[in-house]
Amino acid sequence: QVQLVESGGGLVQPGGSLRLSCAASGSIVWLDTMGWYRQPPGKEHELVATITRGTSTNYADSVKGRFTISRDNAKNTVDLQMNSLTPEDTAVYYCAVHKWNGVDYWGKGTLVTVSS
């Protein structure tokens, strides 16, 4: 069983920054892709960014140039640095692991609120 725990969410003003972290445990290996997703209030779940063990990344158009995903394979962690935040970034952010065998695991989420 893979366990994922997100941290770092909170309240931030527009234009500010936050760094989210996700700690994974339970047989996370270098073949696994990790990612961040989010669900804004009243809207659908959407991809934010993914990263492979080799640091190949994929970003949603809405966050390109502002967000950066990174991982530490030795620690089984994945971070999301969020800069130039806007109210439209307000959402519950979820960490995910996409296992080599096609099985996905999800954290319970951390809330990011961008407001004055």
PDB file of all heavy atoms in Angstrom, residues 2 4 22 24 28-37 47 49-58 69 71 73 77-78 95-106:
ATOM      1  N   VAL A   2       0.651   2.129  -0.965  1.00  0.00           N
ATOM      2  CA  VAL A   2       1.377   3.383  -1.066  1.00  0.00           C
ATOM      3  C   VAL A   2       0.625   4.458  -0.296  1.00  0.00           C
ATOM      4  O   VAL A   2      -0.595   4.604  -0.435  1.00  0.00           O
ATOM      5  CB  VAL A   2       1.560   3.812  -2.532  1.00  0.00           C
ATOM      6  CG1 VAL A   2       2.182   5.199  -2.610  1.00  0.00           C
ATOM      7  CG2 VAL A   2       2.422   2.797  -3.268  1.00  0.00           C
ATOM      8  N   LEU A   4       0.539   8.642   0.595  1.00  0.00           N
ATOM      9  CA  LEU A   4       0.963   9.956   0.150  1.00  0.00           C
ATOM     10  C   LEU A   4       0.425  11.010   1.109  1.00  0.00           C
ATOM     11  O   LEU A   4      -0.766  11.003   1.428  1.00  0.00           O
ATOM     12  CB  LEU A   4       0.449  10.253  -1.261  1.00  0.00           C
ATOM     13  CG  LEU A   4       0.882   9.286  -2.361  1.00  0.00           C
ATOM     14  CD1 LEU A   4       0.145   9.602  -3.657  1.00  0.00           C
ATOM     15  CD2 LEU A   4       2.386   9.379  -2.583  1.00  0.00           C
ATOM     16  N   CYS A  22       5.083  16.648  -1.057  1.00  0.00           N
ATOM     17  CA  CYS A  22       4.390  15.375  -0.957  1.00  0.00           C
ATOM     18  C   CYS A  22       5.394  14.313  -0.572  1.00  0.00           C
ATOM     19  O   CYS A  22       6.394  14.126  -1.266  1.00  0.00           O
ATOM     20  CB  CYS A  22       3.723  15.020  -2.285  1.00  0.00           C
ATOM     21  SG  CYS A  22       2.981  13.373  -2.337  1.00  0.00           S
ATOM     22  N   ALA A  24       5.974  10.354  -0.030  1.00  0.00           N
ATOM     23  CA  ALA A  24       5.429   9.058  -0.423  1.00  0.00           C
ATOM     24  C   ALA A  24       6.163   7.941   0.302  1.00  0.00           C
ATOM     25  O   ALA A  24       7.371   8.007   0.514  1.00  0.00           O
ATOM     26  CB  ALA A  24       5.550   8.859  -1.931  1.00  0.00           C
ATOM     27  N   ILE A  28       7.970   3.054  -3.569  1.00  0.00           N
ATOM     28  CA  ILE A  28       8.071   4.011  -4.675  1.00  0.00           C
ATOM     29  C   ILE A  28       9.436   3.797  -5.323  1.00  0.00           C
ATOM     30  O   ILE A  28      10.468   3.887  -4.657  1.00  0.00           O
ATOM     31  CB  ILE A  28       7.932   5.454  -4.195  1.00  0.00           C
ATOM     32  CG1 ILE A  28       6.641   5.617  -3.390  1.00  0.00           C
ATOM     33  CG2 ILE A  28       7.969   6.407  -5.381  1.00  0.00           C
ATOM     34  CD1 ILE A  28       5.386   5.286  -4.164  1.00  0.00           C
ATOM     35  N   VAL A  29       9.439   3.536  -6.607  1.00  0.00           N
ATOM     36  CA  VAL A  29      10.677   3.234  -7.314  1.00  0.00           C
ATOM     37  C   VAL A  29      10.927   4.232  -8.435  1.00  0.00           C
ATOM     38  O   VAL A  29      10.058   5.037  -8.775  1.00  0.00           O
ATOM     39  CB  VAL A  29      10.667   1.800  -7.869  1.00  0.00           C
ATOM     40  CG1 VAL A  29      10.501   0.789  -6.741  1.00  0.00           C
ATOM     41  CG2 VAL A  29       9.578   1.634  -8.915  1.00  0.00           C
ATOM     42  N   TRP A  30      12.094   4.158  -9.040  1.00  0.00           N
ATOM     43  CA  TRP A  30      12.511   5.151 -10.025  1.00  0.00           C
ATOM     44  C   TRP A  30      11.675   5.136 -11.291  1.00  0.00           C
ATOM     45  O   TRP A  30      11.677   6.120 -12.037  1.00  0.00           O
ATOM     46  CB  TRP A  30      13.985   4.968 -10.355  1.00  0.00           C
ATOM     47  CG  TRP A  30      14.293   3.729 -11.134  1.00  0.00           C
ATOM     48  CD1 TRP A  30      14.545   2.483 -10.636  1.00  0.00           C
ATOM     49  CD2 TRP A  30      14.400   3.625 -12.559  1.00  0.00           C
ATOM     50  NE1 TRP A  30      14.799   1.611 -11.660  1.00  0.00           N
ATOM     51  CE2 TRP A  30      14.722   2.278 -12.849  1.00  0.00           C
ATOM     52  CE3 TRP A  30      14.265   4.537 -13.601  1.00  0.00           C
ATOM     53  CZ2 TRP A  30      14.899   1.828 -14.155  1.00  0.00           C
ATOM     54  CZ3 TRP A  30      14.444   4.087 -14.915  1.00  0.00           C
ATOM     55  CH2 TRP A  30      14.757   2.748 -15.169  1.00  0.00           C
ATOM     56  N   LEU A  31      10.980   4.049 -11.555  1.00  0.00           N
ATOM     57  CA  LEU A  31      10.133   3.959 -12.744  1.00  0.00           C
ATOM     58  C   LEU A  31       8.811   4.721 -12.597  1.00  0.00           C
ATOM     59  O   LEU A  31       8.120   4.952 -13.582  1.00  0.00           O
ATOM     60  CB  LEU A  31       9.826   2.503 -13.064  1.00  0.00           C
ATOM     61  CG  LEU A  31      10.986   1.637 -13.571  1.00  0.00           C
ATOM     62  CD1 LEU A  31      10.545   0.192 -13.685  1.00  0.00           C
ATOM     63  CD2 LEU A  31      11.489   2.154 -14.910  1.00  0.00           C
ATOM     64  N   ASP A  32       8.469   5.102 -11.382  1.00  0.00           N
ATOM     65  CA  ASP A  32       7.172   5.709 -11.124  1.00  0.00           C
ATOM     66  C   ASP A  32       7.148   7.187 -11.481  1.00  0.00           C
ATOM     67  O   ASP A  32       8.047   7.948 -11.124  1.00  0.00           O
ATOM     68  CB  ASP A  32       6.796   5.544  -9.659  1.00  0.00           C
ATOM     69  CG  ASP A  32       6.640   4.092  -9.235  1.00  0.00           C
ATOM     70  OD1 ASP A  32       6.408   3.234 -10.118  1.00  0.00           O
ATOM     71  OD2 ASP A  32       6.750   3.814  -8.027  1.00  0.00           O
ATOM     72  N   THR A  33       6.087   7.587 -12.167  1.00  0.00           N
ATOM     73  CA  THR A  33       5.827   8.995 -12.426  1.00  0.00           C
ATOM     74  C   THR A  33       5.032   9.583 -11.262  1.00  0.00           C
ATOM     75  O   THR A  33       4.130   8.935 -10.732  1.00  0.00           O
ATOM     76  CB  THR A  33       5.053   9.166 -13.733  1.00  0.00           C
ATOM     77  OG1 THR A  33       5.870   8.738 -14.830  1.00  0.00           O
ATOM     78  CG2 THR A  33       4.656  10.617 -13.962  1.00  0.00           C
ATOM     79  N   MET A  34       5.358  10.806 -10.884  1.00  0.00           N
ATOM     80  CA  MET A  34       4.652  11.487  -9.816  1.00  0.00           C
ATOM     81  C   MET A  34       4.056  12.783 -10.354  1.00  0.00           C
ATOM     82  O   MET A  34       4.537  13.323 -11.357  1.00  0.00           O
ATOM     83  CB  MET A  34       5.583  11.771  -8.636  1.00  0.00           C
ATOM     84  CG  MET A  34       6.262  10.518  -8.102  1.00  0.00           C
ATOM     85  SD  MET A  34       7.319  10.811  -6.655  1.00  0.00           S
ATOM     86  CE  MET A  34       6.068  11.043  -5.383  1.00  0.00           C
ATOM     87  N   GLY A  35       3.024  13.261  -9.686  1.00  0.00           N
ATOM     88  CA  GLY A  35       2.375  14.452 -10.196  1.00  0.00           C
ATOM     89  C   GLY A  35       1.558  15.191  -9.172  1.00  0.00           C
ATOM     90  O   GLY A  35       1.327  14.720  -8.057  1.00  0.00           O
ATOM     91  N   TRP A  36       1.141  16.382  -9.585  1.00  0.00           N
ATOM     92  CA  TRP A  36       0.235  17.216  -8.807  1.00  0.00           C
ATOM     93  C   TRP A  36      -1.011  17.510  -9.636  1.00  0.00           C
ATOM     94  O   TRP A  36      -0.914  17.798 -10.839  1.00  0.00           O
ATOM     95  CB  TRP A  36       0.890  18.536  -8.402  1.00  0.00           C
ATOM     96  CG  TRP A  36       1.886  18.401  -7.295  1.00  0.00           C
ATOM     97  CD1 TRP A  36       3.236  18.260  -7.404  1.00  0.00           C
ATOM     98  CD2 TRP A  36       1.604  18.403  -5.897  1.00  0.00           C
ATOM     99  NE1 TRP A  36       3.816  18.175  -6.164  1.00  0.00           N
ATOM    100  CE2 TRP A  36       2.828  18.257  -5.216  1.00  0.00           C
ATOM    101  CE3 TRP A  36       0.430  18.516  -5.151  1.00  0.00           C
ATOM    102  CZ2 TRP A  36       2.915  18.226  -3.828  1.00  0.00           C
ATOM    103  CZ3 TRP A  36       0.513  18.472  -3.774  1.00  0.00           C
ATOM    104  CH2 TRP A  36       1.748  18.329  -3.130  1.00  0.00           C
ATOM    105  N   TYR A  37      -2.155  17.466  -8.977  1.00  0.00           N
ATOM    106  CA  TYR A  37      -3.443  17.758  -9.578  1.00  0.00           C
ATOM    107  C   TYR A  37      -4.189  18.688  -8.646  1.00  0.00           C
ATOM    108  O   TYR A  37      -3.802  18.857  -7.488  1.00  0.00           O
ATOM    109  CB  TYR A  37      -4.231  16.460  -9.811  1.00  0.00           C
ATOM    110  CG  TYR A  37      -3.507  15.494 -10.728  1.00  0.00           C
ATOM    111  CD1 TYR A  37      -2.454  14.721 -10.258  1.00  0.00           C
ATOM    112  CD2 TYR A  37      -3.871  15.379 -12.066  1.00  0.00           C
ATOM    113  CE1 TYR A  37      -1.773  13.855 -11.094  1.00  0.00           C
ATOM    114  CE2 TYR A  37      -3.198  14.516 -12.911  1.00  0.00           C
ATOM    115  CZ  TYR A  37      -2.152  13.757 -12.423  1.00  0.00           C
ATOM    116  OH  TYR A  37      -1.481  12.904 -13.259  1.00  0.00           O
ATOM    117  N   LEU A  47      -5.234  18.335 -14.157  1.00  0.00           N
ATOM    118  CA  LEU A  47      -3.796  18.124 -14.036  1.00  0.00           C
ATOM    119  C   LEU A  47      -3.080  19.452 -13.844  1.00  0.00           C
ATOM    120  O   LEU A  47      -3.419  20.447 -14.486  1.00  0.00           O
ATOM    121  CB  LEU A  47      -3.267  17.413 -15.283  1.00  0.00           C
ATOM    122  CG  LEU A  47      -1.760  17.136 -15.360  1.00  0.00           C
ATOM    123  CD1 LEU A  47      -1.508  15.843 -16.116  1.00  0.00           C
ATOM    124  CD2 LEU A  47      -1.025  18.278 -16.056  1.00  0.00           C
ATOM    125  N   ALA A  49       0.794  19.253 -13.007  1.00  0.00           N
ATOM    126  CA  ALA A  49       2.110  18.909 -13.537  1.00  0.00           C
ATOM    127  C   ALA A  49       2.449  17.472 -13.193  1.00  0.00           C
ATOM    128  O   ALA A  49       1.988  16.937 -12.186  1.00  0.00           O
ATOM    129  CB  ALA A  49       3.185  19.841 -12.975  1.00  0.00           C
ATOM    130  N   THR A  50       3.276  16.853 -14.025  1.00  0.00           N
ATOM    131  CA  THR A  50       3.813  15.528 -13.743  1.00  0.00           C
ATOM    132  C   THR A  50       5.315  15.540 -13.980  1.00  0.00           C
ATOM    133  O   THR A  50       5.839  16.388 -14.705  1.00  0.00           O
ATOM    134  CB  THR A  50       3.175  14.432 -14.616  1.00  0.00           C
ATOM    135  OG1 THR A  50       3.403  14.721 -15.997  1.00  0.00           O
ATOM    136  CG2 THR A  50       1.680  14.325 -14.350  1.00  0.00           C
ATOM    137  N   ILE A  51       5.989  14.572 -13.371  1.00  0.00           N
ATOM    138  CA  ILE A  51       7.429  14.459 -13.524  1.00  0.00           C
ATOM    139  C   ILE A  51       7.838  12.994 -13.457  1.00  0.00           C
ATOM    140  O   ILE A  51       7.359  12.240 -12.613  1.00  0.00           O
ATOM    141  CB  ILE A  51       8.171  15.293 -12.453  1.00  0.00           C
ATOM    142  CG1 ILE A  51       9.686  15.263 -12.688  1.00  0.00           C
ATOM    143  CG2 ILE A  51       7.810  14.822 -11.040  1.00  0.00           C
ATOM    144  CD1 ILE A  51      10.438  16.287 -11.847  1.00  0.00           C
ATOM    145  N   THR A  52       8.716  12.597 -14.361  1.00  0.00           N
ATOM    146  CA  THR A  52       9.272  11.253 -14.334  1.00  0.00           C
ATOM    147  C   THR A  52      10.508  11.232 -13.455  1.00  0.00           C
ATOM    148  O   THR A  52      11.015  12.269 -13.026  1.00  0.00           O
ATOM    149  CB  THR A  52       9.638  10.774 -15.747  1.00  0.00           C
ATOM    150  OG1 THR A  52      10.745  11.547 -16.241  1.00  0.00           O
ATOM    151  CG2 THR A  52       8.457  10.910 -16.698  1.00  0.00           C
ATOM    152  N   ARG A  53      11.021  10.038 -13.216  1.00  0.00           N
ATOM    153  CA  ARG A  53      12.238   9.915 -12.427  1.00  0.00           C
ATOM    154  C   ARG A  53      13.398  10.626 -13.094  1.00  0.00           C
ATOM    155  O   ARG A  53      14.268  11.169 -12.402  1.00  0.00           O
ATOM    156  CB  ARG A  53      12.561   8.434 -12.214  1.00  0.00           C
ATOM    157  CG  ARG A  53      13.493   8.159 -11.045  1.00  0.00           C
ATOM    158  CD  ARG A  53      14.943   8.073 -11.475  1.00  0.00           C
ATOM    159  NE  ARG A  53      15.800   7.643 -10.380  1.00  0.00           N
ATOM    160  CZ  ARG A  53      17.116   7.564 -10.444  1.00  0.00           C
ATOM    161  NH1 ARG A  53      17.738   7.879 -11.586  1.00  0.00           N
ATOM    162  NH2 ARG A  53      17.811   7.171  -9.397  1.00  0.00           N
ATOM    163  N   GLY A  54      13.404  10.678 -14.409  1.00  0.00           N
ATOM    164  CA  GLY A  54      14.438  11.363 -15.152  1.00  0.00           C
ATOM    165  C   GLY A  54      14.207  12.854 -15.302  1.00  0.00           C
ATOM    166  O   GLY A  54      14.895  13.493 -16.090  1.00  0.00           O
ATOM    167  N   THR A  55      13.243  13.392 -14.587  1.00  0.00           N
ATOM    168  CA  THR A  55      12.904  14.816 -14.516  1.00  0.00           C
ATOM    169  C   THR A  55      12.265  15.360 -15.791  1.00  0.00           C
ATOM    170  O   THR A  55      12.231  16.574 -15.989  1.00  0.00           O
ATOM    171  CB  THR A  55      14.102  15.702 -14.117  1.00  0.00           C
ATOM    172  OG1 THR A  55      15.083  15.725 -15.164  1.00  0.00           O
ATOM    173  CG2 THR A  55      14.738  15.199 -12.837  1.00  0.00           C
ATOM    174  N   SER A  56      11.746  14.498 -16.646  1.00  0.00           N
ATOM    175  CA  SER A  56      10.917  14.966 -17.744  1.00  0.00           C
ATOM    176  C   SER A  56       9.590  15.458 -17.170  1.00  0.00           C
ATOM    177  O   SER A  56       8.959  14.754 -16.385  1.00  0.00           O
ATOM    178  CB  SER A  56      10.675  13.845 -18.745  1.00  0.00           C
ATOM    179  OG  SER A  56       9.827  14.272 -19.789  1.00  0.00           O
ATOM    180  N   THR A  57       9.178  16.661 -17.557  1.00  0.00           N
ATOM    181  CA  THR A  57       8.007  17.283 -16.943  1.00  0.00           C
ATOM    182  C   THR A  57       6.919  17.598 -17.955  1.00  0.00           C
ATOM    183  O   THR A  57       7.173  17.745 -19.153  1.00  0.00           O
ATOM    184  CB  THR A  57       8.391  18.578 -16.217  1.00  0.00           C
ATOM    185  OG1 THR A  57       9.010  19.477 -17.146  1.00  0.00           O
ATOM    186  CG2 THR A  57       9.353  18.288 -15.076  1.00  0.00           C
ATOM    187  N   ASN A  58       5.713  17.726 -17.442  1.00  0.00           N
ATOM    188  CA  ASN A  58       4.556  18.116 -18.224  1.00  0.00           C
ATOM    189  C   ASN A  58       3.717  19.057 -17.367  1.00  0.00           C
ATOM    190  O   ASN A  58       3.421  18.739 -16.217  1.00  0.00           O
ATOM    191  CB  ASN A  58       3.740  16.892 -18.634  1.00  0.00           C
ATOM    192  CG  ASN A  58       2.525  17.255 -19.460  1.00  0.00           C
ATOM    193  OD1 ASN A  58       2.626  17.981 -20.439  1.00  0.00           O
ATOM    194  ND2 ASN A  58       1.370  16.743 -19.071  1.00  0.00           N
ATOM    195  N   ILE A  69       7.605  21.709 -10.885  1.00  0.00           N
ATOM    196  CA  ILE A  69       7.542  20.441 -10.174  1.00  0.00           C
ATOM    197  C   ILE A  69       8.949  19.851 -10.097  1.00  0.00           C
ATOM    198  O   ILE A  69       9.740  19.966 -11.039  1.00  0.00           O
ATOM    199  CB  ILE A  69       6.558  19.464 -10.860  1.00  0.00           C
ATOM    200  CG1 ILE A  69       6.339  18.217 -10.000  1.00  0.00           C
ATOM    201  CG2 ILE A  69       7.029  19.094 -12.258  1.00  0.00           C
ATOM    202  CD1 ILE A  69       5.215  17.319 -10.508  1.00  0.00           C
ATOM    203  N   ARG A  71      11.423  16.526  -7.916  1.00  0.00           N
ATOM    204  CA  ARG A  71      11.365  15.324  -7.086  1.00  0.00           C
ATOM    205  C   ARG A  71      12.731  14.983  -6.531  1.00  0.00           C
ATOM    206  O   ARG A  71      13.763  15.330  -7.111  1.00  0.00           O
ATOM    207  CB  ARG A  71      10.803  14.137  -7.878  1.00  0.00           C
ATOM    208  CG  ARG A  71      11.693  13.655  -9.008  1.00  0.00           C
ATOM    209  CD  ARG A  71      10.973  12.605  -9.855  1.00  0.00           C
ATOM    210  NE  ARG A  71      10.699  11.386  -9.111  1.00  0.00           N
ATOM    211  CZ  ARG A  71       9.872  10.424  -9.529  1.00  0.00           C
ATOM    212  NH1 ARG A  71       9.224  10.560 -10.681  1.00  0.00           N
ATOM    213  NH2 ARG A  71       9.691   9.338  -8.786  1.00  0.00           N
ATOM    214  N   ASN A  73      14.301  11.522  -5.544  1.00  0.00           N
ATOM    215  CA  ASN A  73      14.050  10.091  -5.594  1.00  0.00           C
ATOM    216  C   ASN A  73      14.567   9.358  -4.356  1.00  0.00           C
ATOM    217  O   ASN A  73      13.986   8.350  -3.948  1.00  0.00           O
ATOM    218  CB  ASN A  73      14.671   9.497  -6.853  1.00  0.00           C
ATOM    219  CG  ASN A  73      14.006  10.005  -8.111  1.00  0.00           C
ATOM    220  OD1 ASN A  73      12.780   9.998  -8.215  1.00  0.00           O
ATOM    221  ND2 ASN A  73      14.795  10.448  -9.076  1.00  0.00           N
ATOM    222  N   THR A  77      10.004  12.075  -2.442  1.00  0.00           N
ATOM    223  CA  THR A  77       9.197  13.274  -2.298  1.00  0.00           C
ATOM    224  C   THR A  77       9.054  13.974  -3.643  1.00  0.00           C
ATOM    225  O   THR A  77       9.912  13.853  -4.517  1.00  0.00           O
ATOM    226  CB  THR A  77       9.801  14.263  -1.293  1.00  0.00           C
ATOM    227  OG1 THR A  77      11.117  14.640  -1.713  1.00  0.00           O
ATOM    228  CG2 THR A  77       9.871  13.652   0.096  1.00  0.00           C
ATOM    229  N   VAL A  78       7.971  14.703  -3.785  1.00  0.00           N
ATOM    230  CA  VAL A  78       7.754  15.537  -4.962  1.00  0.00           C
ATOM    231  C   VAL A  78       7.211  16.875  -4.486  1.00  0.00           C
ATOM    232  O   VAL A  78       6.304  16.925  -3.654  1.00  0.00           O
ATOM    233  CB  VAL A  78       6.817  14.866  -5.986  1.00  0.00           C
ATOM    234  CG1 VAL A  78       5.455  14.545  -5.373  1.00  0.00           C
ATOM    235  CG2 VAL A  78       6.663  15.736  -7.225  1.00  0.00           C
ATOM    236  N   CYS A  95      -1.489  15.185  -4.512  1.00  0.00           N
ATOM    237  CA  CYS A  95      -0.298  14.488  -4.981  1.00  0.00           C
ATOM    238  C   CYS A  95      -0.696  13.107  -5.486  1.00  0.00           C
ATOM    239  O   CYS A  95      -1.601  12.475  -4.937  1.00  0.00           O
ATOM    240  CB  CYS A  95       0.705  14.372  -3.840  1.00  0.00           C
ATOM    241  SG  CYS A  95       2.193  13.431  -4.216  1.00  0.00           S
ATOM    242  N   ALA A  96      -0.020  12.634  -6.522  1.00  0.00           N
ATOM    243  CA  ALA A  96      -0.314  11.321  -7.071  1.00  0.00           C
ATOM    244  C   ALA A  96       0.966  10.594  -7.463  1.00  0.00           C
ATOM    245  O   ALA A  96       1.965  11.213  -7.812  1.00  0.00           O
ATOM    246  CB  ALA A  96      -1.224  11.427  -8.297  1.00  0.00           C
ATOM    247  N   VAL A  97       0.906   9.274  -7.397  1.00  0.00           N
ATOM    248  CA  VAL A  97       1.954   8.404  -7.911  1.00  0.00           C
ATOM    249  C   VAL A  97       1.334   7.491  -8.948  1.00  0.00           C
ATOM    250  O   VAL A  97       0.320   6.840  -8.675  1.00  0.00           O
ATOM    251  CB  VAL A  97       2.609   7.571  -6.794  1.00  0.00           C
ATOM    252  CG1 VAL A  97       3.560   6.533  -7.392  1.00  0.00           C
ATOM    253  CG2 VAL A  97       3.349   8.463  -5.822  1.00  0.00           C
ATOM    254  N   HIS A  98       1.932   7.463 -10.114  1.00  0.00           N
ATOM    255  CA  HIS A  98       1.493   6.577 -11.192  1.00  0.00           C
ATOM    256  C   HIS A  98       2.508   5.444 -11.280  1.00  0.00           C
ATOM    257  O   HIS A  98       3.600   5.616 -11.825  1.00  0.00           O
ATOM    258  CB  HIS A  98       1.389   7.329 -12.504  1.00  0.00           C
ATOM    259  CG  HIS A  98       0.534   8.561 -12.420  1.00  0.00           C
ATOM    260  ND1 HIS A  98      -0.804   8.502 -12.135  1.00  0.00           N
ATOM    261  CD2 HIS A  98       0.852   9.873 -12.563  1.00  0.00           C
ATOM    262  CE1 HIS A  98      -1.306   9.731 -12.121  1.00  0.00           C
ATOM    263  NE2 HIS A  98      -0.313  10.578 -12.370  1.00  0.00           N
ATOM    264  N   LYS A  99       2.141   4.305 -10.728  1.00  0.00           N
ATOM    265  CA  LYS A  99       3.059   3.181 -10.619  1.00  0.00           C
ATOM    266  C   LYS A  99       3.383   2.581 -11.974  1.00  0.00           C
ATOM    267  O   LYS A  99       2.603   2.695 -12.930  1.00  0.00           O
ATOM    268  CB  LYS A  99       2.463   2.106  -9.712  1.00  0.00           C
ATOM    269  CG  LYS A  99       2.254   2.536  -8.254  1.00  0.00           C
ATOM    270  CD  LYS A  99       3.552   2.575  -7.486  1.00  0.00           C
ATOM    271  CE  LYS A  99       4.114   1.186  -7.267  1.00  0.00           C
ATOM    272  NZ  LYS A  99       5.415   1.259  -6.539  1.00  0.00           N
ATOM    273  N   TRP A 100       4.527   1.920 -12.039  1.00  0.00           N
ATOM    274  CA  TRP A 100       4.982   1.293 -13.273  1.00  0.00           C
ATOM    275  C   TRP A 100       3.997   0.259 -13.800  1.00  0.00           C
ATOM    276  O   TRP A 100       3.943   0.004 -15.003  1.00  0.00           O
ATOM    277  CB  TRP A 100       6.338   0.616 -13.047  1.00  0.00           C
ATOM    278  CG  TRP A 100       6.266  -0.525 -12.070  1.00  0.00           C
ATOM    279  CD1 TRP A 100       6.411  -0.462 -10.716  1.00  0.00           C
ATOM    280  CD2 TRP A 100       6.015  -1.895 -12.379  1.00  0.00           C
ATOM    281  NE1 TRP A 100       6.264  -1.697 -10.158  1.00  0.00           N
ATOM    282  CE2 TRP A 100       6.023  -2.604 -11.159  1.00  0.00           C
ATOM    283  CE3 TRP A 100       5.787  -2.597 -13.563  1.00  0.00           C
ATOM    284  CZ2 TRP A 100       5.803  -3.977 -11.090  1.00  0.00           C
ATOM    285  CZ3 TRP A 100       5.576  -3.965 -13.500  1.00  0.00           C
ATOM    286  CH2 TRP A 100       5.583  -4.635 -12.278  1.00  0.00           C
ATOM    287  N   ASN A 101       3.209  -0.345 -12.901  1.00  0.00           N
ATOM    288  CA  ASN A 101       2.250  -1.368 -13.294  1.00  0.00           C
ATOM    289  C   ASN A 101       0.879  -0.799 -13.650  1.00  0.00           C
ATOM    290  O   ASN A 101      -0.071  -1.559 -13.841  1.00  0.00           O
ATOM    291  CB  ASN A 101       2.108  -2.413 -12.193  1.00  0.00           C
ATOM    292  CG  ASN A 101       1.611  -1.839 -10.880  1.00  0.00           C
ATOM    293  OD1 ASN A 101       1.299  -0.654 -10.783  1.00  0.00           O
ATOM    294  ND2 ASN A 101       1.533  -2.686  -9.865  1.00  0.00           N
ATOM    295  N   GLY A 102       0.758   0.521 -13.726  1.00  0.00           N
ATOM    296  CA  GLY A 102      -0.482   1.162 -14.115  1.00  0.00           C
ATOM    297  C   GLY A 102      -1.418   1.510 -12.984  1.00  0.00           C
ATOM    298  O   GLY A 102      -2.501   2.074 -13.231  1.00  0.00           O
ATOM    299  N   VAL A 103      -1.052   1.217 -11.755  1.00  0.00           N
ATOM    300  CA  VAL A 103      -1.885   1.533 -10.598  1.00  0.00           C
ATOM    301  C   VAL A 103      -1.565   2.938 -10.097  1.00  0.00           C
ATOM    302  O   VAL A 103      -0.396   3.309  -9.971  1.00  0.00           O
ATOM    303  CB  VAL A 103      -1.678   0.501  -9.481  1.00  0.00           C
ATOM    304  CG1 VAL A 103      -2.489   0.870  -8.242  1.00  0.00           C
ATOM    305  CG2 VAL A 103      -2.059  -0.892  -9.973  1.00  0.00           C
ATOM    306  N   ASP A 104      -2.604   3.708  -9.808  1.00  0.00           N
ATOM    307  CA  ASP A 104      -2.448   5.075  -9.311  1.00  0.00           C
ATOM    308  C   ASP A 104      -2.782   5.170  -7.830  1.00  0.00           C
ATOM    309  O   ASP A 104      -3.696   4.500  -7.338  1.00  0.00           O
ATOM    310  CB  ASP A 104      -3.357   6.033 -10.079  1.00  0.00           C
ATOM    311  CG  ASP A 104      -3.021   6.106 -11.551  1.00  0.00           C
ATOM    312  OD1 ASP A 104      -1.852   5.862 -11.908  1.00  0.00           O
ATOM    313  OD2 ASP A 104      -3.932   6.405 -12.350  1.00  0.00           O
ATOM    314  N   TYR A 105      -2.059   6.046  -7.125  1.00  0.00           N
ATOM    315  CA  TYR A 105      -2.318   6.324  -5.721  1.00  0.00           C
ATOM    316  C   TYR A 105      -2.424   7.827  -5.532  1.00  0.00           C
ATOM    317  O   TYR A 105      -1.707   8.601  -6.179  1.00  0.00           O
ATOM    318  CB  TYR A 105      -1.210   5.761  -4.833  1.00  0.00           C
ATOM    319  CG  TYR A 105      -1.132   4.249  -4.854  1.00  0.00           C
ATOM    320  CD1 TYR A 105      -0.372   3.589  -5.805  1.00  0.00           C
ATOM    321  CD2 TYR A 105      -1.835   3.492  -3.923  1.00  0.00           C
ATOM    322  CE1 TYR A 105      -0.312   2.200  -5.834  1.00  0.00           C
ATOM    323  CE2 TYR A 105      -1.778   2.108  -3.943  1.00  0.00           C
ATOM    324  CZ  TYR A 105      -1.012   1.469  -4.904  1.00  0.00           C
ATOM    325  OH  TYR A 105      -0.950   0.085  -4.929  1.00  0.00           O
ATOM    326  N   TRP A 106      -3.307   8.236  -4.634  1.00  0.00           N
ATOM    327  CA  TRP A 106      -3.600   9.646  -4.425  1.00  0.00           C
ATOM    328  C   TRP A 106      -3.523  10.023  -2.956  1.00  0.00           C
ATOM    329  O   TRP A 106      -3.910   9.245  -2.084  1.00  0.00           O
ATOM    330  CB  TRP A 106      -5.003   9.984  -4.935  1.00  0.00           C
ATOM    331  CG  TRP A 106      -5.166   9.742  -6.398  1.00  0.00           C
ATOM    332  CD1 TRP A 106      -5.488   8.570  -7.011  1.00  0.00           C
ATOM    333  CD2 TRP A 106      -5.015  10.704  -7.435  1.00  0.00           C
ATOM    334  NE1 TRP A 106      -5.545   8.740  -8.366  1.00  0.00           N
ATOM    335  CE2 TRP A 106      -5.264  10.037  -8.659  1.00  0.00           C
ATOM    336  CE3 TRP A 106      -4.704  12.065  -7.456  1.00  0.00           C
ATOM    337  CZ2 TRP A 106      -5.200  10.689  -9.887  1.00  0.00           C
ATOM    338  CZ3 TRP A 106      -4.644  12.719  -8.675  1.00  0.00           C
ATOM    339  CH2 TRP A 106      -4.889  12.031  -9.873  1.00  0.00           C
TER     340      TRP A 106
END
